Structure formats: C-alpha cells, structure tokens
Amino acid sequence: MSAPPVSLADEVLLHVAGVTDGRTAGWHIELGRAVAGAVLIELALAHRIAVRPEGLTVLSLDRVADPVQDEVLGRLVLGRRGGAAQEWVERLAPRTLVRVEQGLRDRDLLVPVPPPGLLARPRLLPRHHRVPARAYPAGTLQALLTATREPWATGAEQPPHIGPFTPAPPDTLAAIPLVCAGIRASLAASAHQLVCRF
C-alpha cells in the first residue's frame, strides 16, 4: 500500500510533532501561524494567489484538489477586508491548524498516544513513511519553521521529491520570504498583546 501524499502544511505539523515528541498542544498559536503560512505559500507556488507587500491577490478561482487549500482559497476570495500576509496568517491560523491536524489523523500520519499520567495531555506522534504531494523550492520548510520558532528548524530537511522541481518565476518565489515575515510579525504582535495585558 502506498503512503498518502502530504502537503507543505502537513510537513510543518509532522516535523514539529517529531521535534516536540508529540507535544504540539502547547504550541497551537505558533503552529497555527506556520500551517496557515504554509498553505499561503502552496497557493502562491501553484499560481492561485500572488503575495505582495501590500497584500494578497487571488489569481485563479479554480478549485484546488487539497481540501484545506481549497477552503483557504475560498476564504481569500470572500475576504472583504483584504490584508497583507500577516493579517491573513492570523485569520486563517486557528481553523487551518484544526483541519490539517484532522487530515493527518484521518490518513493515519499523525497518531494519538495516550498520556502517561492523568493530568498529562495526549501526544500526537508522526509516522515517517510519507510522500510529498509536490516539490518545493529548497529551504521552504526550514524558512517556515525558522520564522515560527527557530529551534523547530533543527533537522528540517527538504522532503524527498517525486520529480524535479519546476523553477517558479521570481515573483512567485517572493511569496516565501513575505509569508515568513508575516508569520514573524504576527507572532510578535501576539506576544506584545499578551505582555500588555498585565
């Protein structure tokens, strides 16, 4: 039986689950931003959206095979307020994280492990036999992880490719640093809000 294909967003969650020994529940804000950013990068590399400093633009209304990406594209189309990468990462994070995690659990790529004690949270451990849905520019996964929480980038490797990566136009590749900057800004804003409450 062949392994189910995984997206860049799946790779982010699987890698972090591995790095944290399955303890992802304590990082839902960071993980949500990283996963949402990964989906935006995937849509940009597929030429469905353009990511520019002034905001995101939908380039194609065609449906996307991946259900999470399709839902995000629909939200971008219906978004009346527009917004730059930082704003969209914040808006998309909670629901996108839940959808990606559930998809991985449904495909048996993220496996719940019972907690060792009564008060401990259950852990989610990754399965390592997976196939990427597509090839990404070198360093994309590491850039997302570094932008979110630098220690997570340790050991992040480029996923094996199904075939050669087709070079994307420079404006498409610009989406990666712009989305990563949006993730950093979003997390800094969240940390500032938390500190300013006290």
Side-chain angles (χ1 to χ4, degrees), residues 40-126:
L40 293 176
I41 288 172
E42 289 176 301
L43 290 171
L45 292 175
H47 308 289
R48 300 305 174 95
I49 65 170
V51 181
R52 300 182 180 99
E54 62 274 11
L56 275 59
T57 306
V58 175
L59 301 174
S60 171
L61 299 177
D62 294 340
R63 301 296 301 261
V64 182
D66 181 282
V68 175
Q69 292 175 34
D70 193 56
E71 180 180 317
V72 167
L73 185 60
R75 289 185 65 186
L76 291 170
V77 169
L78 296 174
R80 296 186 178 156
R81 293 181 294 177
Q86 175 186 345
E87 296 168 62
W88 277 110
V89 161
E90 289 173 11
R91 282 186 230 166
L92 297 169
R95 176 140 175 86
T96 304
L97 177 59
V98 169
R99 292 286 315 277
V100 170
E101 183 180 303
Q102 190 58 54
L104 288 169
R105 291 175 75 161
D106 290 348
R107 288 176 285 156
D108 203 29
L109 290 172
L110 201 56
V111 183
V113 175
L118 291 175
L119 300 176
R121 291 180 173 179
R123 296 182 300 146
L124 294 169
L125 293 175

